Amino acid sequence: MADRSSFLLGFCCRNSLFYWLTVTSILFLLSSVFMLRTSRWPHHIFRNSNANIIYDNLNAGRRSPSSCERVVTGQSVSKSVLKVFMYDLPAEFHFGLLEWKPEGSNVWPDIRTKVPSYPGGLNLQHSIEYWLTLDLLFSEYSGSSSSRIALRVRNSSEADVIFVPFFSSLSYNRISRSKKQEKSIYDKNTQDKLVEYVVAQKEWKRSGGIDHIVMAHHPNSLLFARNQLWPAMFILSDFGRYSPNVANVQKDIIAPYRHIVKSFVNDTSTYDSRRILLYFQGAIYRKDGGIIRQELFYLLKDEKDVHFTFGSINRGGVANATLGMQASKFCLNIAGDTPSSNRLFDTIASHCVPVIVSDEIELPYEDMLDYSEFCIFVRTSDAVKDKFLINLIRGISKEKWTRMWLRLQEVEKYFEYRYPSGDNDAVQMIWKSVANKLPAVNLKLNRHRRYAHSSNASVNREPPKFVVPHNFW
């Protein structure tokens, strides 16, 4: 009897212990969940981020690419306007190069009455400096438009960035390239005066130039001043002729060329109506990385449905290229003397799917835009293999081409320069790119100020001695 009682007691104790352990565990789990749900931790701990939702919706077909893009673009830039202080440089650095004459003490034209015109031809492809400067001048008259991205302010202490309105590309094109021995000296003197002016300003001394914007879109522009103004944020076409310790993707902006061919308005073409499979017309024999053009010419010149010929801007070259691109399914964009050219943007304006063969190319707004949706990228090492490129292009289905063609028509507005600027045109996209750099600029500024109270040492304006590899960032 005692044995049975002991057994029952032990059994009950074991059951009671198991019961209390189970209840305790359940209560602990419930309380943990309750605490997590009612805490102030970020909500993305419990659900997917917007980026993942967008990605899932795209794959599930529940949201169009263009509407998703608006979500991403809207989140990448603060809703507040980018405040820009612009130096009142003498007219010889900007509109004076367009033969505009200042009146009295004014250094800027009255754009309410007349806007100085920019020279045509190939000059236009590097005219970024003109459009950005006009946009800042216009911002003082346009009021508080909801679509405005950048606003000129008169007090530099209120500004996010400092803008240097030197038309460096125009200075190179209109001065250095003509009568080189005589005029290049003038261009160098202009750049020397620019550096002297800028580094003497309190804004430069305050930041060491970190928050300054300097435009040098032509690869050969600002040739003499770039090593003095290197701390600034450059707006460039690519990094092909820059040392990576002077210009790199971490601190600088890549801006699109202005296309030379006419935009393809009311494009009703189809895959079948574009009779040329692959199109290229331009300089074939180039130096540096452009040697690839010559190799591809010999590989493709006899292929059916491929147009690969020499061409230039002269003798109706632009008109012929416009018709050729608009009649082609794919357009080759091959590295030349530099990794980029305006051909890519002519191609986009023609709704011809770009085939990019340029390993070192950098693309505008790539933090906001996925180029693989409307471009084909081919490594140089693959492109020179016999039949590789043509087989790749022939293997792209009509359905895939049509998707890319439609996407080209959605994104082409991002590469259009307008005055006044419009929603998400090239001018506004460049300002958004600048705004996206602000956190890095502010980090540099705060680090720059660390020893402001204990040191009066002048800022070292020599480029850093380390070399950053091209593929580092």
Side-chain angles (χ1 to χ4, degrees):
M1 187 70 179
D3 291 341
R4 184 178 179 185
S5 300
S6 299
F7 171 77
L8 288 174
L9 180 62
F11 178 77
C12 292
C13 290
R14 285 194 297 272
N15 280 349
S16 299
L17 181 61
F18 175 77
Y19 170 78
W20 285 111
L21 284 173
T22 302
V23 171
T24 303
S25 300
I26 292 172
L27 289 174
F28 175 77
L29 289 173
L30 289 174
S31 64
S32 298
V33 171
F34 177 78
M35 289 297 293
L36 285 171
R37 292 181 63 87
T38 56
S39 68
R40 295 185 179 180
W41 292 4
H43 292 296
H44 63 259
I45 293 176
F46 302 104
R47 62 174 182 263
N48 289 337
S49 66
N50 285 337
N52 289 334
I53 293 172
I54 292 169
Y55 180 80
D56 293 341
N57 286 343
L58 277 172
N59 287 335
R62 292 193 292 270
R63 187 190 292 266
S64 67
S66 58
S67 62
C68 288
E69 177 185 287
R70 285 194 294 272
V71 175
V72 174
T73 303
Q75 291 181 344
S76 61
V77 180
S78 171
K79 291 182 180 179
S80 60
V81 174
L82 179 72
K83 295 181 283 294
V84 184
F85 175 81
M86 181 164 62
Y87 285 136
D88 286 324
L89 283 172
E92 64 179 292
F93 293 102
H94 42 83
F95 288 101
L97 293 167
L98 297 173
E99 299 179 356
W100 172 78
K101 305 296 183 183
E103 297 179 359
S105 59
N106 294 327
V107 297
W108 301 110
D110 186 353
I111 58 173
R112 294 169 295 181
T113 57
K114 185 179 180 181
V115 176
S117 59
Y118 201 88
L122 289 178
N123 289 289
L124 282 171
Q125 63 182 332
H126 298 297
S127 56
I128 286 73
E129 54 214 12
Y130 174 76
W131 304 102
L132 294 184
T133 303
L134 278 179
D135 189 59
L136 289 179
L137 292 175
F138 184 74
S139 71
E140 295 190 285
Y141 306 115
S142 59
S144 56
S145 171
S146 59
S147 63
R148 174 145 297 282
I149 302 299
L151 178 69
R152 184 186 183 190
V153 296
R154 296 296 186 135
N155 187 342
S156 63
S157 63
E158 299 175 358
D160 298 308
V161 289
I162 311 297
F163 188 79
V164 181
F166 175 45
F167 290 6
S168 59
S169 297
L170 187 62
S171 178
Y172 173 76
N173 276 328
R174 304 204 80 178
I175 297 176
S176 289
R177 295 186 66 182
S178 59
K179 299 180 182 179
K180 290 185 177 179
Q181 291 183 347
E182 174 185 342
K183 297 294 183 77
S184 63
I185 295 175
Y186 178 86
D187 189 31
K188 181 182 184 303
N189 290 338
T190 302
Q191 292 182 42
D192 288 343
K193 286 194 289 184
L194 175 75
V195 172
E196 183 180 359
Y197 176 96
V198 171
V199 300
Q201 303 305 306
K202 64 179 181 180
E203 290 81 12
W204 181 276
K205 293 177 180 179
R206 184 172 61 207
S207 68
I210 294 169
D211 56 355
H212 282 51
I213 297 174
V214 176
M215 300 167 290
H217 199 262
H218 192 291
N220 292 334
S221 63
L222 211 71
L223 186 63
F224 306 104
R226 60 180 62 168
N227 282 351
Q228 283 73 47
L229 300 179
W230 68 269
M233 184 191 305
F234 290 142
I235 297 182
L236 309 172
S237 57
D238 59 46
F239 302 122
R241 293 182 180 169
Y242 280 79
S243 169
N245 55 332
V246 171
N248 55 72
V249 73
Q250 182 194 25
K251 77 175 184 72
D252 301 310
I253 302 291
I254 297 297
Y257 292 69
R258 185 191 182 279
H259 61 81
I260 303 300
V261 305
K262 292 183 178 180
S263 298
F264 198 171
V265 181
N266 299 323
D267 180 6
T268 58
S269 61
T270 64
Y271 181 89
D272 295 320
S273 69
R274 290 183 174 240
R275 52 186 175 77
I276 301 172
L277 176 67
L278 187 61
Y279 184 91
F280 178 88
Q281 183 166 304
I284 294 174
Y285 300 97
R286 309 301 290 179
K287 56 188 177 181
D288 300 328
I291 295 174
I292 180 65
R293 293 190 182 185
Q294 183 177 343
E295 296 184 52
L296 289 179
F297 171 71
Y298 290 112
L299 283 172
L300 298 171
K301 64 185 180 68
D302 297 324
E303 290 287 347
K304 181 183 177 182
D305 300 333
V306 173
H307 177 96
F308 200 127
T309 62
F310 173 82
S312 69
I313 192 174
N314 300 320
R315 298 179 181 178
V318 173
N320 291 335
T322 301
L323 294 175
M325 289 181 177
Q326 292 180 358
S328 302
K329 299 176 179 68
F330 299 93
C331 289
L332 270 171
N333 296 269
I334 316 169
D337 294 342
T338 58
S340 67
S341 73
N342 74 311
R343 181 173 286 101
L344 172 60
F345 307 98
D346 285 346
T347 299
I348 293 173
S350 304
H351 308 157
C352 180
V353 175
V355 179
I356 299 175
V357 186
S358 180
D359 296 345
E360 299 297 323
I361 195 170
E362 295 291 347
L363 298 166
Y365 349 119
E366 201 166 7
D367 57 339
M368 296 180 278
L369 199 57
D370 182 0
Y371 281 79
S372 68
E373 294 177 347
F374 54 91
C375 295
I376 304 294
F377 292 86
V378 183
R379 293 184 179 89
T380 300
S381 58
D382 290 330
V384 296
K385 295 175 183 175
D386 188 36
K387 298 292 184 180
F388 180 92
L389 184 57
I390 193 64
N391 288 342
L392 174 67
I393 299 305
R394 293 195 192 281
I396 295 174
S397 68
K398 180 190 297 188
E399 292 72 23
K400 181 175 181 180
W401 179 88
T402 302
R403 288 196 301 271
M404 300 182 87
W405 173 75
L406 289 171
R407 186 69 177 127
L408 279 171
Q409 295 178 69
E410 293 175 347
V411 304
E412 66 174 324
K413 64 183 178 181
Y414 303 141
F415 308 101
E416 294 286 348
Y417 287 94
R418 296 190 181 94
Y419 173 76
S421 63
D423 289 347
N424 289 323
D425 68 356
V427 173
Q428 292 198 1
M429 291 297 285
I430 292 171
W431 289 130
K432 287 183 180 182
S433 296
V434 171
N436 285 344
K437 295 284 187 184
L438 285 183
V441 169
N442 290 332
L443 173 63
K444 291 179 186 177
L445 283 173
N446 291 337
R447 291 173 64 88
H448 176 74
R449 297 186 184 113
R450 282 181 177 181
Y451 301 104
H453 299 294
S454 60
S455 174
N456 292 320
S458 61
V459 177
N460 176 20
R461 290 194 294 269
E462 292 297 319
K465 301 303 180 184
F466 62 85
V467 176
V468 181
H470 282 292
N471 61 350
F472 183 79
W473 302 106

